[in-house]
Amino acid sequence: MRPELDETQTAALDETATQDKSPALDKTATARAKEAPPPAGADLAEGVRLGHFRIERKLGAGGMGEVYLATDLALDRPVAIKVLPSGTASGKARERLIKEARAQARVNHTNVAHIYFIGEEEGRLYFAMEYVTGKTLAERIAAGPLPVEDALAVIRAATLGLREAQRSGFTHRDVKPSNLMVDGHGVVKVLDFGLAAGSPGSVTDGPVAQTTLAGTPLYMAPEQARGEAIDFRADIYALGATLFHLVSGHPPFIADSVDELLTLHASAARPLVPRGDNPRTTIKAIGSLIARMMAPNPADRFASYDELLRALELASVEQARPAGIWVRGIAAFLDFLLVLIVLGLVEGLVELIHTPGDFVRGPVVLVTTYIYSALAIGRWGTTAGKGLFELQVVSVTTGDRPTWRQAIRRQLIAATLPLAFTVGDEAFGALHFAWPAFICRILLGLTAVYYFFAMMHSSLRVPGKRAPWDRMSGTMVRYRTTRGSTGAAA
């Protein structure tokens, strides 16, 4: 695999020809601009002043500029200075640097590195930004894959930053491990908006035309590589490729040339995530998540960053820890006991509840229990019994309280079999049909056993495990959580 496959590449597009969709154009990420780039000047020496910033040392360089550690003399703090090499501070390179600074400055979010100042000194255009101490994800995975939970936390934090960029009107276009950094406090920062597409002040829900064909081949979405109009889903694709790299230790596709690599991204089957030391079910959940994020067709990816955040949360045991079987059982018993007490206090129903053999005794208790649960879950997302143990019922699509439709559907599905067999038992007993009543009692007992094991299965510390009534209604029972906003990666 050639080194440039992991480097940001740019190629100027003939905008007129692009609009005409001329078949003569065959632009790829390896195409070079027609004009030769101007020669780069010498590195800035230690002590050189750019405005009120003093250069300390060089941090790195790339096709988009050189980065230096500097001291802000006005505020006495370290900053990172991005500078266009001497001789390139005009034309497209200059416009790109200004656009990068303005785009990044508009995104005010914890998970995006902040811009402080833009200026020009002796023909050198530069901007000062937050100096993030720590390592990029590219440096971290050089030592091996990240634990799954750490990788999910990183991607979740990057998603929060990119969502804010979308709200500010920009698509990043160059998401990759080397553009994600974890600072000394464990906070993930999205770096380098040099290829950002879009216009400030308008949310980029619709497609944005690419005026340059650019990106990093190892992580580039197929539509971005083809030079088509893109939206935030191109960044979701790159996030999926990055997540694969973080948990597997290598990019999703490897090739000897850019053209071959882009073909793999566009048409090859999505790669399987190596299991390593992870449980099979955990890797299966991560693999399904990555496959959707990296779907070749943008329409098959997540329809919003919020939807992606919910999926990341569900794939994480730490974020969506399922409720334990015994806690759920005790909570259900307490709710049932509460219903019995309330019904026992209602005049006219006491005799129905406590008179043996009465036809409506069992059905009344069950129906009342399920109605109470549906109302409580639809209104508060929990019941009295569940609330005592900090349990909540949430929608898997929003992570918040279920809708009324979900709450009612959940209870109807859970109630159908127990209620049917209970009514059958009571009805056949009243008619003195012993065998049918006995069969209904047997089926009711088997249903109870099935429900017990279904709840036990859904209580395992495995992502995506839910009881049938939760799965069919789009809900889940979990411990109440407090969501973080920065996605620390330990």
Side-chain angles (χ1 to χ4, degrees), residues 314-383:
L314 288 174
S316 167
V317 173
E318 292 183 359
Q319 288 291 323
R321 181 186 172 195
I325 177 63
W326 299 115
V327 173
R328 289 183 65 171
I330 295 172
F333 173 76
L334 292 177
D335 286 328
F336 184 75
L337 186 62
L338 176 63
V339 170
L340 286 178
I341 294 172
V342 172
L343 287 179
L345 295 176
V346 176
E347 186 177 358
L349 292 180
V350 175
E351 183 177 345
L352 296 178
I353 295 171
H354 294 287
T355 301
D358 193 287
F359 171 69
V360 294
R361 179 191 57 186
V364 164
V365 175
L366 280 177
V367 169
T368 305
T369 301
Y370 287 121
I371 290 176
Y372 153 71
S373 296
L375 293 175
I377 290 171
R379 177 63 180 85
W380 297 289
T382 189
T383 62

Side-chain angles (χ1 to χ4, degrees), residues 33-302:
K34 294 181 180 179
E35 56 191 31
D43 292 347
L44 295 176
E46 180 181 348
V48 169
R49 295 273 296 271
L50 293 178
H52 59 280
F53 303 100
R54 183 183 65 225
I55 299 297
E56 304 297 341
R57 59 184 172 88
K58 189 172 184 178
L59 296 175
M64 310 299 289
E66 300 168 346
V67 181
Y68 294 86
L69 172 64
T71 298
D72 182 342
L73 299 176
L75 297 175
D76 192 22
R77 63 178 175 181
V79 297
I81 298 284
K82 190 165 189 177
V83 186
L84 276 182
S86 177
T88 63
S90 62
K92 293 185 188 224
R94 179 186 179 89
E95 293 174 9
R96 186 181 295 124
L97 190 74
I98 293 174
K99 183 177 181 180
E100 175 183 359
R102 289 175 175 171
Q104 198 163 334
R106 281 185 169 270
V107 186
N108 184 19
H109 194 271
T110 305
N111 297 118
V112 175
H114 300 297
I115 296 292
Y116 300 138
F117 182 84
I118 184 169
E120 190 168 2
E121 187 80 14
E122 297 183 355
R124 288 186 181 270
L125 186 67
Y126 69 94
F127 66 79
M129 58 183 170
E130 176 184 4
Y131 174 57
V132 182
T133 59
K135 293 183 178 180
T136 67
L137 269 296
E139 293 172 321
R140 293 192 62 177
I141 57 179
L146 295 185
V148 168
E149 289 297 328
D150 286 356
L152 288 172
V154 166
I155 297 301
R156 182 177 183 275
T159 299
L160 291 170
L162 292 171
R163 182 180 65 175
E164 190 63 27
Q166 182 207 12
R167 291 172 175 174
S168 300
F170 298 101
T171 298
H172 190 283
R173 289 208 302 167
D174 200 20
V175 178
K176 57 183 177 179
S178 58
N179 281 341
L180 301 177
M181 178 172 279
V182 182
D183 70 11
H185 302 287
V187 179
V188 177
K189 300 284 186 178
V190 180
L191 310 174
D192 201 340
F193 279 70
L195 299 184
S199 57
S202 61
V203 177
T204 55
D205 285 333
V208 176
Q210 301 186 81
T211 56
T212 59
L213 183 58
T216 301
L218 282 175
Y219 312 94
M220 196 188 302
E223 69 274 17
Q224 182 176 341
R226 292 191 295 264
E228 300 171 358
I230 61 168
D231 58 19
F232 67 94
R233 292 173 296 182
D235 285 348
I236 286 181
Y237 185 97
L239 277 174
T242 299
L243 176 57
F244 184 96
H245 197 163
L246 296 182
V247 298
S248 67
H250 60 79
F253 297 111
I254 298 175
D256 293 325
S257 69
V258 171
D259 289 339
E260 181 184 354
L261 185 60
L262 297 182
T263 299
L264 291 173
H265 277 285
S267 58
R270 304 299 94 171
L272 298 176
V273 180
R275 178 176 174 181
D277 297 329
N278 298 292
R280 178 183 57 81
T281 49
T282 298
I283 289 301
K284 182 179 178 181
I286 295 296
S288 298
L289 173 65
I290 292 174
R292 186 173 178 190
M293 294 174 72
M294 290 186 63
N297 185 353
D300 295 330
R301 298 173 206 155
F302 292 97

